[in-house]
């Protein structure tokens, strides 16, 4: 890599950390604007004022917001997410237990969604304007405009309630591998449906833009077959936008996972965050929010770095 590429990558990483700090600040502000707190949620509405104030003091909730902000940020930089206000356990321990489940669901979805989206996006670009292309485009728009919770609810109603083929709730402690696969089939299908629709459409657009380039026209005039043009010439040059579209599509997993874990009662980070909001467990809410925001920023940054590295003008040292 030349110096220009290294400089751009370092700047992009610096922007990521700056954005992450701003996001952490917004998360702290937003979480502290939630009505009530862990003391009132734990003691209930019939607790006396003195009892509530005593518990708030014991939990450190009576400290000024600015003091709590700097203490939280200092601990966060050191990898300490704090102690849960409800069960008095380290937040990081609760996160690690649930994060493995969420990563397993996301990895399973990604392993299925990326090959399917690549196949649909590439073939629809090759057969641009055909009935197949129009069918894929229309289906993608319909899928992208349909809310995730509606897709999940419809699948549960059809396959779990009406037909009774699949269990309505996810169970990671299933007795057999077959039962585990049946338990995860609906959550994975919902997430694949969300990711493939967005990714295939962006891959198609990136390839079509590349296929309209002058060097592609020259290859066509030389008699190259359409498959060779797409696979040998268009795909390598469309790699950067395809990587960006993949990262952006995978980010849609973050929103989809929230609905999927709630509807299917999947024991992941999103489900943990919803439970923490209901109990006003602020440290746990903040840590879960940081996990989702950090994942989004990391994926976008990786996509940008790939775009910088694969940019031919930068590789040849002609960037301005």
């Amino acid at each position: 890599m030349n110096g220009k590429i290294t400089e751009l990558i370092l700047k992009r990483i610096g922007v990521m950390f700056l954005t992450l700090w701003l996001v952490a600040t917004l998360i702290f502000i937003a979480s502290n604007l939630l009505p009530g707190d862990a003391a009132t949620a734990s003691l209930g509405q019939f607790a006396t004022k003195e009892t509530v104030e005593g518990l708030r003091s014991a939990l450190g909730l009576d400290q000024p917001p600015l003091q709590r902000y700097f203490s939280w940020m200092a601990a966060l930089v050191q990898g300490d997410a704090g102690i849960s206000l409800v069960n008095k356990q380290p937040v990081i321990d609760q996160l690690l237990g649930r994060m493995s489940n969420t990563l397993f669901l996301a990895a399973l979805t990604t392993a299925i969604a990326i090959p399917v989206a690549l196949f649909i996006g590439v073939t629809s670009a090759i057969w641009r304007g055909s009935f197949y292309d129009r069918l894929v485009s229309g289906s993608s728009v319909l899928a992208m405009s349909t809310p995730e919770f509606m897709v999940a609810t419809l699948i549960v109603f059809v396959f779990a309630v009406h037909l009774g083929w699949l269990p309505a709730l996810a169970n990671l402690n299933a007795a057999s591998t077959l039962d585990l696969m049946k338990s995860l089939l609906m959550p994975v299908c919902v997430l694949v449906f969300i990711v493939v629709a967005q990714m295939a459409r962006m891959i198609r657009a990136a390839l079509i833009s590349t296929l309209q380039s002058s060097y592609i026209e020259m290859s066509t005039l030389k008699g190259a077959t359409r498959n060779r043009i797409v696979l040998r010439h268009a795909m390598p040059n469309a790699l950067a936008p395809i990587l960006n579209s993949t990262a952006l599509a995978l980010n849609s997993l973050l929103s989809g996972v929230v609905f999927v874990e709630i509807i299917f009662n999947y024991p992941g980070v999103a489900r943990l965050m919803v439970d923490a909001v209901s109990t006003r467990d602020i440290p746990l809410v903040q840590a879960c929010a940081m996990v989702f925001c950090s994942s989004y920023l990391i994926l976008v940054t990786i996509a940008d770095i790939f775009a910088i590295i694969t940019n031919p003008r930068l590789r040849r040292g002609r960037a301005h």
Side-chain angles (χ1 to χ4, degrees):
M1 291 190 298
N2 58 43
K4 184 63 177 180
I5 293 179
T6 304
E7 180 184 350
L8 289 173
I9 291 175
L10 292 177
K11 285 183 178 178
R12 189 61 191 87
I13 294 174
V15 169
M16 182 192 72
F17 282 112
L18 177 61
T19 306
L20 193 59
W21 170 71
L22 293 174
V23 167
T25 302
L26 291 176
I27 288 174
F28 179 86
I29 295 172
S31 60
N32 281 274
L33 290 178
L34 291 172
D37 54 28
T40 54
S42 299
L43 297 175
Q45 58 180 339
F46 300 108
T48 62
K49 183 178 179 180
E50 291 76 13
T51 305
V52 173
E53 290 299 326
L55 183 56
R56 292 187 79 253
S57 178
L59 296 175
L61 300 175
D62 58 339
Q63 298 176 359
L66 197 60
Q67 180 179 344
R68 284 188 283 120
Y69 168 73
F70 284 115
S71 299
W72 177 67
M73 286 294 294
L76 197 63
V77 170
Q78 300 174 19
D80 181 10
I83 303 296
S84 170
L85 300 180
V86 176
N87 53 28
K88 306 299 186 295
Q89 295 180 359
V91 168
I92 192 67
D93 292 344
Q94 299 180 64
L95 273 178
L96 291 177
R98 295 295 188 94
M99 197 180 299
S100 59
N101 295 338
T102 298
L103 289 176
F104 173 70
L105 183 62
L108 192 59
T109 301
T110 303
I112 298 172
I114 289 181
V116 173
L118 280 171
F119 175 80
I120 294 175
V122 171
T123 53
S124 60
I126 292 175
W127 298 319
R128 182 187 179 190
S130 65
F131 172 76
Y132 171 77
D133 180 38
R134 293 195 296 271
L135 179 63
V136 168
S137 298
S139 302
S140 299
V141 172
L142 178 62
M144 291 172 61
S145 59
T146 305
E148 295 92 341
F149 70 88
M150 185 179 295
V151 177
T153 304
L154 182 61
I155 288 181
V156 170
F157 176 76
V158 173
F159 293 100
V161 178
H162 183 65
L163 297 176
W165 292 351
L166 299 171
L169 301 178
N171 180 20
L172 295 181
N173 299 317
S176 64
T177 304
L178 179 61
D179 291 337
L180 178 62
M181 292 175 60
K182 292 173 63 176
S183 176
L184 294 177
L185 184 58
M186 285 197 295
V188 171
C189 285
V190 172
L191 292 175
V192 167
F193 179 81
I194 296 168
V195 174
V196 166
Q198 183 178 353
M199 189 185 300
R201 187 171 178 83
M202 290 190 289
I203 290 173
R204 174 187 177 275
L207 275 177
I208 288 177
S209 177
T210 305
L211 288 171
Q212 293 174 343
S213 303
S214 57
Y215 69 91
I216 296 295
E217 295 179 2
M218 182 62 67
S219 299
T220 304
L221 293 174
K222 289 181 178 180
T225 63
R226 195 167 187 82
N227 289 341
R228 180 180 176 85
I229 289 172
V230 171
L231 298 177
R232 294 291 300 273
H233 300 287
M235 282 291 290
N237 288 280
L239 183 60
I242 287 176
L243 289 171
N244 274 286
S245 65
T246 301
L248 292 174
L250 290 179
N251 280 325
S252 63
L253 276 175
L254 300 179
S255 60
V257 160
V258 175
F259 294 106
V260 164
E261 290 190 1
I262 294 172
I263 292 176
F264 295 100
N265 197 31
Y266 187 86
V269 177
R271 183 71 197 181
L272 180 66
M273 183 176 179
V274 172
D275 295 338
V277 170
S278 64
T279 58
R280 301 299 185 270
D281 194 345
I282 301 301
L284 190 53
V285 172
Q286 293 169 337
C288 292
M290 285 298 299
V291 168
F292 283 110
C293 294
S294 301
S295 302
Y296 179 89
L297 288 172
I298 290 172
L299 282 173
V300 171
T301 303
I302 290 174
D304 289 345
I305 290 174
F306 272 116
I308 293 171
I309 294 174
T310 56
N311 189 322
R313 291 182 301 172
L314 293 176
R315 289 202 308 266
R316 294 165 189 165
R318 293 187 297 179
H320 298 288

